[in-house]
Amino acid sequence: MKSYRLREREHSELIPDLLHARGIASGEEAARFLEPSFERDSGDPFLLPDMGVAVERILAAAKNGEKIAVWSDYDCDGIPGGVMLSEFLRSIGLSVRHYIPHRHEEGYGLNCEGIDELAGQKISLIITVDLGSSDTEPVAHAKKSGIDIIVTDHHVVPEVEPGAFALINPKRRGNRYPFDGLCGAGVAWKLVQAILSKSRASGQTFDYAQGKEKWLLDLVGIATLSDRVPLRGENRMLARFGLLVMRKNRRPGLAALLRMLRIEARGLTEDDIGFMIAPRINAASRMGRPSTAARLLATQNAEEAGELAQALQSLNNERKGVVAATVKEAKRRIAESEALKKGIIVMGNPLWRPGILGLVANSLAEAERKPVFLWGRDGSTSLTTSGGSVIRGSCRSDGSVNVVELMRGVGDIFLDFGGHIFSGGFSLQEEKIFELAPRLAMAYELLRTKEGGAPQIVLDRELPFEEIFSASRDLSKLAPFGEGNAKPLFLLPGVSIAAVRSFGKSGDHLEITLARAEKRVSAISFFNTPDSFQKRPEVGMRADIVGHVENGWNGRPRVRMVDII
């Protein structure tokens, strides 16, 4: 059961109080946070490692008419970032192929087979987006093939670096760049800025108008809002300006997708990106080919945009079907197993796709109210250096434990693991899979004893019913919300419930109407039923509502319910 604690109020006014909770106390800090500036918040790209040599190599490629490839990851960071960088490089005269590996056939990162394919096309330079920092063997293979590799990435750099021509990564040792939280597309964006800065300073402008590059921020914004990077500093600026560009609706593919989803471009929010756009971009690699999503973002043809939007919608629907079928299978196994009904759920199937298991684990954690670890197996390339198969999985917490700490308790079993308090991912050798459940169960009991039960969830502020309306307006100043700038979580005390209804095709969403005197406010919760909360809502009762305040599709304030207590 979730436990809550109300944060002590530091200021009578809402916004100063919420800023203080985010560690922003001074007036100058508050002004910088509330009003991001493109010029002020853009760091000098040449402070990133190897940026200078990378720019010189790209400018030489442009001068010599070389063919190059942009090799990006297949997720909602790599795809927009790869489209952005490819689009820019073509606009300055380079011949560019955008290469995206197949999630299930090639796996994550660079690979020798793909490099051989590019070598056969006379490509002499590969620039990565959102990958490459650990790819020692493929980088060495590229060198033998006469191909230079410039890595742009944001993942942790290993002790032994891959030996690329350039490794641009703010997490690299010796980095002087003041912010290491950029996503993969954000690092690629710094490369664009550096190329333009160098060329403009030397008088080689490529007929590229000053400020034109800002139109690329829609793609950088999608990636920044989708990749769980902290929305502070430069990221906050990129996300805010990215949304401004997206609202201009200049990109035919994005316009077609928004139209199909019945989302008004001018009112686009970070929630629309996170819950509607990103899942469809990610569905391309999970259920089909990532190039479908890349083509949607890149196309300038309205007819093709509509066809690609429909293709992504179909893939996303297929993804939903696979998730639903996997949830059904998992629930059947839980019902049939006494062991799975206790403490912690650990299960898997070699046929389960790792790419959808986070969604499945989230559903099970909410339904079963306990931590869930699920595993599956990718395509044939998921092999360790010793040749064994790799099992990959996702985990979610019900709030009773920190899953990263839980995995750390059995860390020697994993090849790698990571994540956040409530969610994470892991991989391990297939022969160790039978050790996973008992060791996690033991670590779970030890951690629960050590932590004394579920960690308390901090509520930002008690919000009287009558303040909901002004709060919905004021909170827009803090947007966009996300990692490092979470949506404020409020306690609405003693509100009356005037109506309760289920909605959606399958009736799997819930809306209750909150009332005080003559005023009404809608409170909604997706993929939940009345039994999903600590207190079941019934017409006429009074209850404390835990939730976020936001603007609904009609512009009116509403509450996104988290719990009823």
Side-chain angles (χ1 to χ4, degrees), residues 6-24:
L6 190 62
R7 180 178 60 81
E8 186 176 343
R9 187 176 293 198
E10 299 288 344
H11 202 285
S12 60
E13 294 181 28
L14 177 63
I15 297 303
D17 188 41
L18 294 175
L19 287 173
H20 192 280
R22 287 157 173 71
I24 302 169

Side-chain angles (χ1 to χ4, degrees), residues 16 31 40 94 213 215 322-323 388 406 449 500 506 530 543:
R40 183 195 64 216
L94 279 155
E213 65 273 18
W215 290 113
V322 172
V323 169
L406 183 51
T449 302
V500 179
S506 304

Side-chain angles (χ1 to χ4, degrees), residues 160-316:
V160 179
E161 296 183 350
F165 183 90
L167 174 54
I168 305 169
N169 187 327
K171 292 186 175 71
R172 191 177 174 190
R173 290 177 298 280
N175 169 59
R176 295 183 298 128
Y177 196 72
F179 182 62
D180 69 354
L182 294 167
C183 68
V187 178
W189 164 252
K190 301 311 294 184
L191 178 60
V192 169
Q193 286 188 304
I195 292 169
L196 288 173
S197 174
K198 177 74 173 180
S199 61
R200 285 165 177 164
S202 64
Q204 183 183 2
T205 62
F206 298 114
D207 193 29
Y208 203 91
Q210 189 80 30
K212 178 183 175 182
E213 65 273 18
K214 292 181 183 178
W215 290 113
L216 298 171
L217 287 176
D218 55 351
L219 298 172
V220 183
I222 290 172
T224 301
L225 289 166
S226 302
D227 204 47
R228 298 185 67 90
V229 291
L231 294 186
R232 293 295 188 96
E234 190 164 5
N235 280 344
R236 178 168 168 79
M237 178 274 291
L238 292 172
R240 174 78 73 89
F241 279 84
L243 280 168
L244 289 175
V245 176
M246 283 182 256
R247 289 168 186 157
K248 299 291 185 183
N249 217 20
R250 289 165 54 99
R251 200 169 286 278
L254 189 57
L257 198 53
L258 293 177
R259 189 164 53 249
M260 186 182 64
L261 297 172
R262 299 180 181 179
I263 297 172
E264 285 281 347
R266 62 187 177 184
L268 192 71
T269 69
E270 65 272 22
D271 282 348
D272 295 324
I273 301 301
F275 296 115
M276 303 299 283
I277 303 301
R280 284 158 176 80
I281 292 174
N282 282 326
S285 66
R286 286 175 173 153
M287 309 307 300
R289 295 197 171 274
S291 58
T292 305
R295 288 167 56 208
L296 174 101
L297 295 176
T299 186
Q300 292 300 310
N301 182 284
E303 183 178 351
E304 182 186 29
E307 293 171 356
L308 290 167
Q310 188 57 57
L312 283 189
Q313 180 74 339
S314 297
L315 289 170
N316 192 54

